[in-house]
Amino acid sequence: MRHLGAATPGELRRHDALHRALGRVWRLFTVMLLLAGHLARAGDLATTGTATVAPPVARITHAEFGPSRDGPWQAIPLPDAWRDRGLDRPGTGWYRLRLPLAATDLIDRPPTMWALYTRRMGTRHRVWLNGVLLDDGSTQRDNGLPRLLPWLLPVPSSLLHTGNNLLELEIHAGLRAGQADMLFGSLAELDELALAHKRQDVDLPVRINLLAAGACLVAMLLWLRRRSEVAMGWFGVLGLLISLRNQAYFDVGPSLPPQLSNLSFFLAQVLSGWLLGRFAVSITQYPLPSRYPRLLDRVCLLLALAGVGASLLGDAVTMDRARLLAYPVLVGCAILPALWLLARHGLAQRGARLGLLLAMLAVVAGAAGHDYLFQQGLTPLQHERWLPYATPLLVLAYATVMVRRLVTQLDQVEVLNRTLELRVLERTQALAEANDAKSRFVAAASHDLRQPVAAIGLMVSLLQDQLIDPAQRAMANKVDEAVAALEALLAGLTDLSRLESGALQARPQPVVLQALFDAVRVHLVEATGRKGLALRIDATPCVVQSDPLLLEQIVRNLVDNAVHYTERGGVRLRARVLAGQRVRVQVWDSGCGIAARDRQRAFLPFVRLREHEGSGQGLGLAIVQRSAALIGAPLQLRSRLGRGSCFSITLPLLAAPNRAPSAAALPERWLAGRHLLLVEDDATVRMAVRTRLQAWGAEVSACDALPAVQALLASVPTPAPDLLVTDLRLPGANGFVVVKEVRQACGAELPVLVITGNTAPDDLKALTASGLAVLHKPFRAEQLQLALQRLLDGLHPATPH
């Protein structure tokens, strides 16, 4: 004997569709599922028709009923419902059925195996055929409540004989007591019919409930990601609970004990009503009576406690009576108010999909009423539970609304993304235009400032050489300090513009760190002495691969920054050899330190974390960060408030030094015997540079533009210049044209130094591409001296400085 219980759930396939296609797939899938169910029902109905049952199958539609095996017996038609005949339920009853067999059925074409089949058989029963016990299902585990399920029983041919065979059924029935009609025939044909009924009665509801459970899991996952979707979370939990409860209806062999399983069904019903009420409260946008949520919680809690008490104190019959009393209370206090709230919400939304949701709610309400009558045995014996079919439709209807809402939100996100991208593009273009305008403005303004500042700096240098009176020299030194501060600001702007425009390129070569450290010492020893700080520079034999000018600029800015922000203690510069042929150059100070929240801001242009006398313009660290990135040297910062900071860069280590000459050891008239050609349109700057060069012993020919240069080159006799110093921006022609003319006349190898105040990105890129040595205005006399020395000694500066 085998009962047709719950089938094994099939694997669910996960479909991932986007935007509008997602909604279409859901709708198409739902329609196909409903159509498949309809066709399955139609096919099964056709199969059960008597006209399609081929011999030797016979339908048994009459039986005898008695209260015991000894009678008295009463002839009755099948199917038989005890409710219709006023019998006590639950109870025990006996049926006797006659199985007529002709001789031809057993002799001419006997089947391999006979069988009995019925669509409704009580789970607790015993069956005898011709006095032989065929099936003892009296101990069947059925949650403590007998149920009516499909039943197929193989019958050996040896137990059958010609004529009427006596079939006796002992039924231990519950509230749905009765017996359906029975088919008798070959096992092969009845097994096929039983499988068709199983697909309709078990497989179809199991699968659609699995589909509904999957949709509810998706809703719960969405709620977990977006906790604001409270209604979606309540619905997901509610739908998942109902789907699992519906699955349990088709399981005839649960692992739980009958009493506990019976209680779990009751609690699932109460919890479903409570979740439905909570879902309705969460989705409704109208003001609710404050008493309803509290009433819902209290009623459901009391019903749950009552069910637990009935399960502990009574048997299955007591639990069944508790259901009879509790379910009307649950419907009146939880389910009906929740359905009213949902209907009110759906009518207010006035949407087609919400209308579908309302229709499904009405279907579920009707199915719940039917199943309550079904539970009490007040429906025809052939009826099944309707909720396993109705609730998945409600879940899928809400899933359709949910998917449509998701698709709408995705469409809105796409529109917002496109709008945002357009706005970002517009803002980026506006920012680029503003940045270009800023660069042009800074370039124009700085050029006009650089010309007089360059002249003032050179003339102050000449004035310092001529003053003897200490008071006058002190005043000249103050003027020189002011000019130096202005020059530092303009130089910082120039460096920043070159780094941001991409005009500056690194040209790595061997750099002796000790020579660089000595130059830093000369540059800052006076500043540290004025502040009473100790400047400690550790000796190092290291030679690194880097751009010499950019590396010197980085180290000088770091040491200068340390001196600015240190009031006591000192500054230390050292190089540490690391594993892997690397050197870390570190600048330590005992200054005020930098808070963790300010360490990113410290590298922004014009940001000064602390204001004090002698503080810079806030460009040093910005230049350091960009220069370090340009030469590929990782920049690190460690700092503690009140204890000091340590800036470091890491460089590749080499073995061979490349020494460069120093300008410090040159004689006073070190340009004696040299002829220099100077081209500068600004009369003040031209006079200052010419005077400075002549003070160094040079013979200087000064011109203001290209025509004057051409006239000078055409004059006879004219000594050939040893070096050309020219401005970039000249009237009528730029410095590149001047360089071309002079080199054509004096030789292509003539050294050239371009002095310019231009900081426009295009000009900076053009200068870098030309390969000419560049000195940006304003500049100190020492910088001019070093640049000229390098050119005359054949050491072309790698990058403009």
Side-chain angles (χ1 to χ4, degrees):
M1 184 276 293
R2 93 183 139 94
H3 278 288
L4 303 181
T8 303
E11 297 183 354
L12 292 178
R13 296 181 178 178
R14 300 180 60 188
H15 299 275
D16 181 19
L18 296 176
H19 310 307
R20 301 186 184 278
L22 187 61
R24 297 192 185 100
V25 168
W26 272 88
R27 291 193 295 272
L28 180 60
F29 189 77
T30 303
V31 171
M32 292 178 63
L33 183 64
L34 296 177
L35 180 61
H38 176 73
L39 293 177
R41 284 179 174 275
D44 290 340
L45 290 175
T47 306
T48 57
T50 55
T52 61
V53 178
V57 174
R59 184 183 298 275
I60 302 172
T61 58
H62 291 81
E64 294 176 316
F65 178 82
S68 67
R69 193 171 188 177
D70 298 328
W73 299 100
Q74 176 187 0
I76 57 170
L78 297 180
D80 169 52
W82 292 12
R83 170 183 58 87
D84 296 339
R85 295 191 290 119
L87 299 180
D88 294 334
R89 299 167 297 145
T92 301
W94 287 74
Y95 289 92
R96 293 196 309 187
L97 295 85
R98 307 293 178 176
L99 308 179
L101 279 178
T104 55
D105 294 331
L106 293 175
I107 299 174
D108 295 344
R109 48 174 185 174
T112 304
M113 180 70 74
W114 295 82
L116 290 165
Y117 174 69
T118 179
R119 292 285 297 272
R120 298 289 182 267
M121 168 68 82
T123 52
R124 293 188 178 184
H125 62 263
R126 286 194 293 179
V127 179
W128 290 266
L129 178 62
N130 295 326
V132 178
L133 180 65
L134 278 184
D135 181 15
D136 187 1
S138 60
T139 59
Q140 177 71 37
R141 296 179 64 183
D142 48 17
N143 302 329
L145 292 175
R147 292 185 288 172
L148 296 177
L149 294 175
W151 176 75
L152 178 68
L153 177 65
V155 177
S157 299
S158 59
L159 296 181
L160 299 173
H161 56 76
T162 304
N164 286 325
N165 294 269
L166 180 63
L167 182 68
E168 298 173 285
L169 306 177
E170 180 186 10
I171 304 297
H172 301 276
L175 293 177
R176 298 188 69 243
Q179 179 61 47
D181 56 354
M182 191 170 293
L183 296 177
F184 176 65
S186 70
L187 176 64
E189 296 183 22
L190 292 181
D191 185 62
E192 182 179 354
L193 180 61
L195 288 177
H197 289 164
K198 176 178 177 291
R199 286 192 292 269
Q200 171 186 329
D201 297 342
V202 177
D203 294 348
L204 178 62
V206 163
R207 286 175 179 148
I208 62 176
N209 277 277
L210 278 176
L211 179 64
C216 294
L217 285 174
V218 171
M220 292 173 63
L221 290 175
L222 291 176
W223 171 73
L224 289 175
R225 295 299 302 270
R226 296 189 61 183
R227 292 303 180 92
S228 59
E229 300 289 346
V230 179
M232 190 176 295
W234 284 117
F235 182 83
V237 177
L238 170 64
L240 183 63
L241 175 64
I242 293 177
S243 299
L244 295 178
R245 184 204 63 191
N246 291 342
Q247 298 274 4
Y249 285 145
F250 306 97
D251 187 5
V252 297
S255 57
L256 295 176
Q259 189 175 10
L260 184 57
S261 180
N262 202 14
L263 175 62
S264 66
F265 270 95
F266 177 81
L267 294 179
Q269 294 289 97
V270 175
L271 184 58
S272 299
W274 180 73
L275 289 172
L276 179 63
R278 280 296 176 182
F279 167 67
V281 171
S282 65
I283 202 174
T284 302
Q285 301 176 356
Y286 307 102
L288 298 172
S290 59
R291 296 186 299 273
Y292 173 68
R294 291 197 298 268
L295 177 64
L296 175 68
D297 296 343
R298 293 172 181 174
V299 167
C300 292
L301 179 60
L302 289 175
L303 291 178
L305 294 176
V308 172
S311 176
L312 295 176
L313 300 177
D315 53 9
V317 177
T318 305
M319 192 67 193
D320 205 36
R321 290 172 180 171
R323 279 198 184 97
L324 183 63
L325 298 175
Y327 284 173
V329 177
L330 182 65
V331 170
C333 296
I335 298 178
L336 288 181
L339 294 177
W340 177 79
L341 290 174
L342 292 174
R344 185 179 178 185
H345 174 72
L347 291 174
Q349 297 299 317
R350 300 179 183 276
R353 290 175 177 82
L354 287 173
L356 174 64
L357 183 61
L358 286 177
M360 292 300 101
L361 283 172
V363 170
V364 169
H370 170 272
D371 284 6
Y372 177 75
L373 299 177
F374 177 90
Q375 183 85 23
Q376 305 305 319
L378 301 178
T379 58
L381 196 65
Q382 295 83 359
H383 278 207
E384 302 174 4
R385 295 182 185 272
W386 288 1
L387 279 176
Y389 297 92
T391 50
L393 297 181
L394 174 62
V395 171
L396 294 177
Y398 185 77
T400 302
V401 176
M402 181 180 66
V403 170
R404 177 59 183 173
R405 178 183 170 189
L406 178 61
V407 170
T408 302
Q409 291 179 347
L410 289 175
D411 291 340
Q412 293 174 353
V413 168
E414 280 193 346
V415 172
L416 290 175
N417 284 339
R418 288 194 295 266
T419 304
L420 181 60
E421 290 176 359
L422 181 61
R423 290 182 179 177
V424 169
L425 180 60
E426 293 174 351
R427 297 294 174 83
T428 303
Q429 292 175 347
L431 181 61
E433 293 174 358
N435 192 47
D436 291 341
K438 181 264 297 181
S439 299
R440 290 192 297 269
F441 171 77
V442 170
S446 63
H447 178 271
D448 294 340
L449 286 173
R450 290 169 190 275
Q451 298 286 73
V453 171
I456 293 172
L458 293 174
M459 288 188 289
V460 168
S461 174
L462 292 170
L463 181 62
Q464 287 176 320
D465 293 342
Q466 299 174 11
L467 291 176
I468 300 176
D469 183 70
Q472 293 177 346
R473 288 186 63 86
M475 186 175 295
N477 290 338
K478 291 292 184 182
V479 175
D480 187 57
E481 290 177 5
V483 174
L486 185 55
E487 288 176 345
L489 173 60
L490 294 175
L493 288 173
T494 301
D495 294 337
L496 197 60
S497 297
R498 286 186 295 166
L499 291 167
E500 289 182 343
S501 65
L504 201 57
Q505 295 180 357
R507 292 183 173 86
Q509 56 185 279
V511 179
V512 181
L513 285 185
Q514 187 59 53
L516 186 149
F517 286 7
D518 292 341
V520 171
R521 184 195 305 273
V522 172
H523 178 71
L524 291 172
V525 66
E526 184 179 354
T528 54
R530 286 197 303 266
K531 297 187 68 173
L533 301 176
L535 178 60
R536 178 181 173 184
I537 299 180
D538 296 354
T540 175
C542 296
V543 179
V544 298
Q545 180 78 1
S546 186
D547 185 293
L549 295 180
L550 286 173
L551 179 58
E552 181 178 351
Q553 183 182 55
I554 292 171
V555 176
R556 282 194 180 190
N557 275 312
L558 288 177
V559 177
D560 185 66
N561 182 76
V563 172
H564 273 306
Y565 290 98
T566 302
E567 299 301 328
R568 62 179 182 275
V571 176
R572 182 184 182 186
L573 172 62
R574 71 169 183 171
R576 290 181 55 199
V577 179
L578 306 177
Q581 289 294 101
R582 294 177 301 153
V583 175
R584 178 168 295 165
V585 177
Q586 296 178 319
V587 178
W588 295 81
D589 66 68
S590 57
C592 53
I594 303 174
R597 65 178 180 275
D598 294 330
R599 290 176 189 173
Q600 294 295 329
R601 294 179 56 244
F603 294 98
L604 298 177
F606 301 104
V607 172
R608 289 181 289 186
L609 300 180
R610 288 173 178 82
E611 299 287 347
H612 58 83
E613 184 180 357
S615 60
Q617 296 80 27
L619 294 175
L621 291 182
I623 294 172
V624 166
Q625 185 184 53
R626 289 159 176 78
S627 300
L630 188 59
I631 66 174
L635 177 63
Q636 295 177 337
L637 166 60
R638 290 181 296 164
S639 185
R640 292 179 62 183
L641 282 176
R643 299 292 298 274
S645 304
C646 176
F647 291 85
S648 61
I649 58 172
T650 304
L651 303 164
L653 176 64
L654 296 180
N658 181 24
R659 299 190 179 275
S662 173
L666 293 177
E668 182 178 354
R669 294 181 60 82
W670 63 281
L671 286 179
R674 299 282 191 175
H675 180 207
L676 275 64
L677 175 58
L678 173 64
V679 185
E680 172 61 61
D681 62 322
D682 187 277
T684 305
V685 176
R686 186 170 64 250
M687 183 272 295
V689 175
R690 180 177 182 177
T691 305
R692 181 72 270 181
L693 295 176
Q694 289 174 341
W696 285 334
E699 180 184 350
V700 181
S701 297
C703 302
D704 61 350
L706 180 60
V709 173
Q710 292 172 338
L712 179 65
L713 295 176
S715 64
V716 181
T718 301
D722 297 305
L723 188 143
L724 169 64
V725 180
T726 179
D727 192 6
L728 182 63
R729 182 181 296 180
L730 297 169
N734 59 28
F736 296 127
V737 179
V738 172
V739 172
K740 181 179 179 182
E741 289 280 344
V742 175
R743 281 185 167 177
Q744 284 179 351
C746 303
E749 301 300 324
L750 178 70
V752 175
L753 176 63
V754 177
I755 56 174
T756 179
N758 288 13
T759 58
D762 293 340
D763 292 339
L764 295 175
K765 291 179 181 179
L767 284 171
T768 302
S770 69
L772 298 174
V774 181
L775 189 61
H776 286 274
K777 302 174 184 177
F779 48 81
R780 309 294 289 169
E782 294 84 358
Q783 295 173 312
L784 177 61
Q785 178 183 353
L786 181 59
L788 294 176
Q789 179 195 358
R790 286 176 173 273
L791 285 171
L792 292 174
D793 290 346
L795 296 173
H796 190 292
T799 56
H801 184 69

